[in-house]
Amino acid sequence: MTTKLFGEPIARREDARLIVGKGRYLDDIGHGALGVAFVRSPHANARILDIDVSAAVEVAGVHAIYSYEDLDGAMAQPLPVLIPHPSLTAPRTGYPLANGSVSHVGEPIVMVVADDRYLAEDAAERIVVDYEFRTPVVGVEAAERADSAVHEDIPDNVAARLVQEFGDVDAALLQAPHTVSFTQTIERSASMPLEGKGVHARWDAVDESLRVYTSTQTSTSVRAAIATKLDLSLDRVEVIAPDVGGGFGVKIVHPWPEELLIPWAAIRLGREVKWAEDRREHFVSSAHERGQLQRITAGYDDEGRLLALDAHILHDHGAYTPYGIVVPIITSTQLLGPYRLANYRCQVDSVYTNTVIVTPYRGAGRPQGCFAMERTMDRVADDLGLDRAAVREINLIRADEFPWDNHLIFQDGRPLIYDSGDYPSMLDKLRDLVGWEGFEARRSAAAADGRWLGIGMALYVEGTGVGPYEGGHVQVLPSGKVLVSTGLTSQGQGHETAFAQIVAEELGVPIEDIEVHTGDTRRFAYAVGTFASRAAVMSGNAVALAARAVREKALRIAAEVLEVDAADLDIVDGVVGVRGDPGAVLPLSSVAVLSNPLRYAFDEASRAATQFARFASDDQPPVADDDEPGLEGRDYYSPVRSTFASGAHAVIVEVDPGTCAVTIEKYAVVHDCGRLINPRIVEGQIHGGVAQGVGGALYEVMAYDETGQLQNASFMDFLMPYVSEVPQRIDIGHQETPSPLNPLGIKGAGEAGVIPGSAAIAAALEDALGIRITSMPLGPSQIYDLIRAAQDGTAEMTLNSARRSQEEST
Amino acid sequence: MKPPAFGYAAPRSVEEALAVLADLGHDGKVLAGGQSLIPLLSMRLTAPHTLVDINRIPGLADVTVAEDGSVIVGALVRHAELLAHAQAFEALPLLRRATSNVAHATVRNRGTTCGSVAHADPSGEMTAILAITGGSVQIAAAGRRTRDVGAREFFLGPLESCLGPGELAVSVRFGAPAPRSGSAFLELARRQGDYAMCGVAVTVTLDDSAEVTTVRAAYLSVGPVPDVHDLTAPVAGQRYSTADWRAAGELAASLVEPEGDLHASADYRRRLVSVLTERALPLAAADAVARTQVAA
């Protein structure tokens, strides 16, 4: 028996290195490189009339100043629309450097290359750009009114109109015993990784090859983009993601203008060039997400069964659509959650605004979809005077109904079919974990003491592990070291640990012998990337398949040497042995030596292996026709469609009636991502996700003013929660319903924690205040406004709050 | 976010520093803890010609409790040092109560209390403490005797003090508490360690029979400078344990004129003034009882 590693909560192997400062992030690379600064648009919507660089060229140490006119070939073309879609009828992208106009504050116009970043900024400050102002469009309602346009040739500001539909919504709403209609909004936020983007490029003029380091979630695709845009042969370009200080979605977008411009300048100047984004740049020139306005109508019966749901969503897409309409697609499909629904229509109008582009941020449209569905459930319960958990329960898909076909097409272009799950059991666990049943008594006791408590819950289903594929390579070296490589990148997910656990278990080797490499196109050239909660499912299964190939080959070679049947062999702790015969053993390192017929005896291992060497028969080549030298395996995992994880969060909040400050008293999570590779890593993912969910629910806004200026573009005013704002304790219950779709039975876990945050916390605040919550996030100042509005009679109270006061008065 | 080039001087004595500052006039900027200045430099919001780094000057890092009970804090004393200073806490508990709310540990380890006062940020804890304790700033300049400027004269507006070109704040003096008085400090920030949306430092003085004689309060983040408000009227002569603190809070709310920002509207700030005052005053009164021989 091999020591069990799959499923064990072992400590992350990468942490020690990263914590003691031995990580190698982008800005740790290339200290001698030239520095870059950009002149970025200070205006949200303007035509560029003139660019005067005369004062800047005089700054000592400046090497080059580039604007659009300097770009050539494909570089002068618009940036690609990565993921076209039939509903994306008016796609727009910017240029690497602005071509005559700018559509958001922060858009790059001029690139300055100097001895260092300090001098580059000195020069950038001296560049004068003349603008002709146009009226900026800020906010989805302004975009919908279309009094002015973001792009002159798209007068209605609509990039895409996506309709997802099944059943007959109009008829079902007409026949429904009850209906409710409401409008709600959810604010913008952003991925906001601690390390911003960054690119370093080095051109080898003799070799005619380019090496690029970039802080990305997809090195293979950046490589392809650079080769295409810079007209280089793919084999002359290598792209490496070094240690990456967080991504959360923003670094899956590619190519960023800087990912093209830095290598382009490095080739032109024949010098190493580096740009490391600063925080101010990140706020105004990377990407945001979340912002939606949702108009919802639901029909339901007396028991709270949802009969029809009609959602019209305005999605703020920012100035451009380089990443297509992935976020609207996900919102409109994942809105359905764990519930059965016969009649559904969701129209998402994806509108342009003169703001930073909108691309996936952890959750990627799911928090908004969850907000729509879960707040609908709360409305239904409130209207009927039913328990909110009971209304959810009656609508849940039952455990024996999988696979469950939702009759829609998911983000991967495949049918939205839930593969497995047990939602009723999940809800039961959640109720126990948070103390749902006894809460009303607690709440009213606290209220009698002048303390305002509230409870809320939200459930979700998350499509994870989207294709098309990932690959894995496993190689046993003659030293016994096991190299594992996969092409997707790592930004803190714990891949060095999780992939090693999988290979250790599959191959039967000690985890200490395993070294995992990711995100390096020199090691693995075919990959998709790390996003959509897909790394564990995709590369996890790929490295498992590769390890199985290695195991099979190792057993075949050992069987020949030990003259036994391969079926009688096992690998334990890196040694091949015959079951029931403790004497007959062969270390995997020796098998690795034997796997290569060229066997110069460089070392002891090779010399030892030669004692097993047998001459192949005289009429067979040393490497058989169907074989190759070396003990290695490569395989790909390509799923037929996504696998669907699920979860349920519940939260208890307390609102201070005096200061309106919100405290999270309890946060409970039940989570199902199929078989767990490493529960500790999954819990870490949940903790981080909950932290971001709390941020989105209580703290984070992108405060654009009416001119399109971001008012809070710094960590002083954009309020990500500190550790002091995240619940001290998060109670987690795991449920494991294996996925039938992949060999390991696993589902993704990366985004889960963030999805239900705003929905659950909105519900809890609504419960605590008795005031209808239609907009998130809420800070104490907004809660104070709500309370005053309630006192003035201008706020909408929940029906439940009226029921409670009636009960108290009787 | 890289600063433009700047000159740098590192004088080794106060005299040398004053000479350098006198030479530089408007072109000089004192660097102590750098917790506000360095970000401003990096964001190119300020571009002084020369930084005068006073960190190498001996004798500026002392906390002294004077005979009258006031606490004198040298220009290089870090918040963390003041926070940990037992005698200072004993003499003036309000110092620690406020200092523990200054940002986070990393900022307190570098940032100086004196620099925080000199920065004259009305959101700063130490500005309010200087004001309510009737403290002062000791200002030196070349060829002149050190002058002692009271808080009311020192703070001119947001981020604006009376420190002129060539001048150096060598220390700040926090005034001793009145006999039979107690203090409290409360603030509410969006996140722990952020600039407060509103904060209040209060002192309550009782007479021998534990009746209220004086109530004073100074606020953070509710006005251009840290004014000290007298809130005695609604509670004068009332027993500390049953005084109408709510009325004092409401009076405070009627006296302040806060402004709104991204994080808190003006109305909400006014509400916080009222609520935090009402909550702080009984704590201060209880502190007065605990610290002195007042008959509870």
Side-chain angles (χ1 to χ4, degrees), chain A residues 113-196:
Chain A
V113 188
D115 281 340
D116 58 42
R117 171 76 181 239
Y118 293 82
L119 294 171
E121 287 193 22
D122 288 349
E125 242 180 11
R126 288 166 174 75
I127 292 169
V128 182
V129 183
D130 264 355
Y131 301 92
E132 177 192 311
F133 305 119
R134 297 193 294 217
T135 310
V137 178
V138 181
V140 289
E141 288 170 295
E144 186 185 41
R145 279 196 307 275
D147 296 334
S148 43
V150 174
H151 304 291
E152 280 176 331
D153 55 338
I154 309 174
D156 64 356
N157 291 317
V158 176
R161 192 160 274 149
L162 175 72
V163 180
Q164 306 267 21
E165 192 167 17
F166 56 74
D168 186 341
V169 170
D170 295 323
L173 283 175
L174 272 175
Q175 288 160 15
H178 309 273
T179 59
V180 64
S181 293
F182 59 99
T183 299
Q184 59 181 11
T185 59
I186 190 162
E187 240 293 351
R188 274 183 171 222
S189 187
S191 300
M192 213 49 73
L194 281 189
E195 184 198 25

Side-chain angles (χ1 to χ4, degrees), chain A residues 125-319:
Chain A
E125 242 180 11
R126 288 166 174 75
I127 292 169
V128 182
V129 183
D130 264 355
Y131 301 92
E132 177 192 311
F133 305 119
R134 297 193 294 217
T135 310
V137 178
V138 181
V140 289
E141 288 170 295
E144 186 185 41
R145 279 196 307 275
D147 296 334
S148 43
V150 174
H151 304 291
E152 280 176 331
D153 55 338
I154 309 174
D156 64 356
N157 291 317
V158 176
R161 192 160 274 149
L162 175 72
V163 180
Q164 306 267 21
E165 192 167 17
F166 56 74
D168 186 341
V169 170
D170 295 323
L173 283 175
L174 272 175
Q175 288 160 15
H178 309 273
T179 59
V180 64
S181 293
F182 59 99
T183 299
Q184 59 181 11
T185 59
I186 190 162
E187 240 293 351
R188 274 183 171 222
S189 187
S191 300
M192 213 49 73
L194 281 189
E195 184 198 25
K197 298 179 318 223
V199 187
H200 171 274
R202 190 180 72 194
W203 173 248
D204 185 328
V206 178
D207 192 48
E208 293 190 324
S209 67
L210 180 71
R211 177 182 294 181
V212 177
Y213 291 92
T214 176
S215 191
T216 182
Q217 292 174 232
T218 175
S219 51
T220 43
S221 296
V222 173
R223 180 194 190 202
I226 290 172
T228 305
K229 284 287 193 179
L230 270 52
D231 197 21
L232 297 167
S233 174
L234 192 65
D235 70 294
R236 299 280 120 180
V237 181
E238 51 196 38
V239 175
I240 301 155
D243 285 321
V244 174
F248 308 107
V250 67
K251 295 176 185 175
I252 189 61
V253 179
H254 63 278
W256 285 101
E258 299 87 356
E259 283 176 324
L260 301 175
L261 290 166
I262 302 304
W264 177 81
I267 295 171
R268 281 175 79 107
L269 297 170
R271 294 281 303 268
E272 280 182 59
V273 180
K274 178 169 78 173
W275 166 78
E277 183 181 60
D278 68 29
R279 189 56 56 185
R280 192 160 48 179
E281 288 182 291
H282 188 81
F283 269 101
V284 298
S285 68
S286 284
H288 302 164
E289 210 231 276
R290 300 288 193 257
Q292 286 184 356
L293 182 148
Q294 305 175 332
R295 298 168 181 138
I296 295 167
T297 301
Y300 46 98
D301 68 14
D302 293 342
E303 276 93 40
R305 269 182 213 90
L306 199 57
L307 304 173
L309 187 75
D310 191 8
H312 182 202
I313 294 173
L314 286 180
H315 174 76
D316 185 346
H317 219 122

Side-chain angles (χ1 to χ4, degrees), chain B residues 11-215:
Chain B
R12 304 301 166 121
S13 68
V14 171
E15 293 69 31
E16 193 190 335
L18 296 178
V20 171
L21 286 168
D23 268 1
L24 290 167
H26 283 282
D27 290 337
K29 182 78 187 166
V30 174
L31 171 68
Q35 296 304 290
S36 299
L37 179 57
I38 297 296
L40 290 173
L41 278 175
S42 292
M43 289 191 271
R44 298 193 177 217
L45 294 174
T46 182
H49 180 273
T50 299
L51 292 188
V52 181
D53 181 349
I54 63 170
N55 283 283
R56 289 176 179 76
I57 300 177
L60 289 182
D62 296 327
V63 177
T64 315
V65 179
E67 267 181 36
D68 69 349
S70 62
V71 177
I72 298 153
V73 179
L76 288 176
V77 174
R78 316 289 156 174
H79 293 298
E81 290 163 350
L82 183 60
L83 188 59
H85 202 279
Q87 291 96 320
F89 175 60
E90 201 177 314
L92 192 48
L94 199 47
L95 275 182
R96 183 179 289 175
R97 288 173 188 151
T99 313
S100 64
N101 285 280
V102 174
H104 297 95
T106 45
V107 172
R108 293 195 295 267
N109 286 341
R110 281 179 179 259
T112 63
T113 302
C114 196
S116 183
V117 169
H119 191 50
D121 189 334
S123 308
E125 285 79 4
M126 304 325 287
T127 53
I129 301 303
L130 194 79
I132 197 165
T133 64
S136 60
V137 184
Q138 290 71 58
I139 302 174
R144 200 183 70 197
R145 277 178 56 179
T146 299
R147 61 186 179 122
D148 189 79
V149 180
R152 187 190 288 268
E153 293 74 37
F154 184 80
F155 298 115
L156 302 180
L159 306 181
E160 193 186 353
S161 76
C162 74
L163 274 172
E167 291 190 319
L168 174 67
V170 289
S171 59
V172 290
R173 185 187 59 80
F174 296 96
R180 297 185 310 280
S181 75
S183 66
F185 184 91
L186 290 177
E187 71 169 48
L188 186 68
R190 279 297 266 123
R191 301 171 299 183
Q192 194 180 310
D194 281 352
Y195 285 117
M197 293 184 286
C198 176
V200 60
V202 296
T203 60
V204 172
T205 307
L206 306 176
D207 65 15
D208 288 337
S209 46
E211 285 169 2
V212 177
T213 60
T214 313
V215 174

